[in-house]
Amino acid sequence: PCPSGSTCVQENGAASCTPWVCTPGVSCDGNAVVTCSTSGLTVTATTPCGADSVCVAGSCIPLLCEPGTTVCHQGAIATCNATGLGVTDPVPCGSGTYCKATQGVAPLCAPMVCTPGEALCSGDQPATCKPDGSGPGVLAAPCSESGEVCSGGQCVALVCDPLQPVYCKDNA
């Protein structure tokens, strides 16, 4: 039998132990997924991971963050770890605040702009406040599409036409 890390190969009537060129199965080589034959003698495929992912245990895993940067993560300000797959030293934002990340600006804890789960209007569109209180989540269709207006987070019928003057007649 051949030692570990090699395969028995018969050539010209003679058998010899040939060292593997790769580990059989799927693995990583740098930041690329490598598929190796069951004999360990042939790389059958190499697939580079993109710039926004890293090879881990034979799979391209999306980066959570850019290594070494300061980020918002689960309601806390934290430092992205060296692999980009996690964070270290999280500092939670206090009650009534959320972690606000703005392009080109360091994350900060900002006051909530709405109560999480609260029904609200974003312009003419009903919405629900995001779980972190940072603002409206998924917006519904504009109320104006159905001839209504947004009030209290829902579409309601117009009581009067805001473009028409309102007059009192006969004290009514």
Side-chain angles (χ1 to χ4, degrees), residues 56-157:
V56 176
S59 295
C60 291
I61 306 294
L63 291 173
L64 174 67
C65 48
E66 184 68 31
T69 59
T70 302
V71 297
C72 287
H73 182 68
Q74 297 178 347
I77 297 174
T79 302
C80 186
N81 68 17
T83 65
L85 299 176
V87 298
T88 59
D89 306 321
V91 177
C93 288
S95 177
T97 65
Y98 72 101
C99 188
K100 181 178 181 179
T102 305
Q103 185 71 26
V105 179
L108 56 91
C109 293
M112 288 182 176
V113 297
C114 55
T115 303
E118 168 189 37
L120 51 86
C121 294
S122 180
D124 187 34
Q125 294 177 270
T128 302
C129 184
K130 291 180 185 175
D132 65 359
S134 63
V138 177
L139 301 176
C143 295
S144 57
E145 289 180 2
S146 60
E148 298 176 305
V149 294
C150 189
S151 178
Q154 60 186 354
C155 292
V156 295

